[in-house]
Amino acid sequence: MERCPFLLGNPQDIDGHIGDMLFRRAGFTPVTAARSDNVLTLQELCGYGMGACLRPQLFLPSLLDDERLRTLRTLDCGPGTSYAISFGISACDYRWSAIDDFIDCARRSISTIDRHDSGRNRRITPDSR
């Protein structure tokens, strides 16, 4: 993996911190082929064979179709590489419809993830309204 080109996110983000930890643990400095704050850009570049990227496996089913999932090689990065993602909204009488749309979209994404989950990822069940 030392000579493998990597497609990396922002070093200030959680993914960047996890990547730094993994590279230190592996004992090498990565060859950086590209950097982007956009996960979809990195995923597309990876799909074109530009390099390897570090992405949460949990999100892959919502980012890739079944054919691309079958051709993708994933590696478990080991302990210390998982983190929780939370959404919060203020409790009030009125809620903007865009927030409801976002919540619905997140729930659909979680359902997609659960259907594609091979047992390696923790199941996420959305709270009922």
Side-chain angles (χ1 to χ4, degrees):
M1 300 282 306
E2 229 174 301
R3 290 180 291 207
C4 177
F6 281 89
L7 309 165
L8 301 172
N10 187 330
Q12 310 309 319
D13 290 342
I14 186 71
D15 291 344
H17 291 294
I18 290 172
D20 288 345
M21 177 193 67
L22 291 171
F23 296 128
R24 274 194 314 276
R25 188 187 297 165
F28 70 91
T29 301
V31 174
T32 305
R35 281 194 181 274
S36 176
D37 289 331
N38 187 314
V39 65
L40 296 176
T41 298
L42 295 172
Q43 193 64 51
E44 283 298 309
L45 291 173
C46 183
Y48 291 129
M50 300 282 301
C53 64
L54 303 173
R55 289 293 144 244
Q57 186 175 355
L58 188 65
F59 294 126
L60 293 178
S62 61
L63 297 174
L64 302 172
D65 61 30
D66 289 339
E67 177 61 29
R68 290 189 72 189
L69 278 172
R70 279 192 295 276
T71 62
L72 186 69
R73 181 173 178 200
T74 61
L75 305 171
D76 183 356
C77 292
T81 60
S82 63
Y83 56 93
I85 297 175
S86 302
F87 302 108
I89 58 171
S90 61
C92 58
D93 293 337
Y94 173 77
R95 189 160 65 199
W96 187 29
S97 63
I99 293 174
D100 288 331
D101 292 343
F102 175 82
I103 292 168
D104 290 341
C105 180
R107 286 184 172 144
R108 282 192 307 274
S109 294
I110 289 168
S111 296
T112 300
I113 290 166
D114 281 347
R115 281 195 308 274
H116 287 89
D117 191 327
S118 62
R120 292 178 296 224
N121 297 310
R122 180 176 56 86
R123 297 269 184 211
I124 299 174
T125 305
D127 296 332
S128 59
R129 283 187 159 161

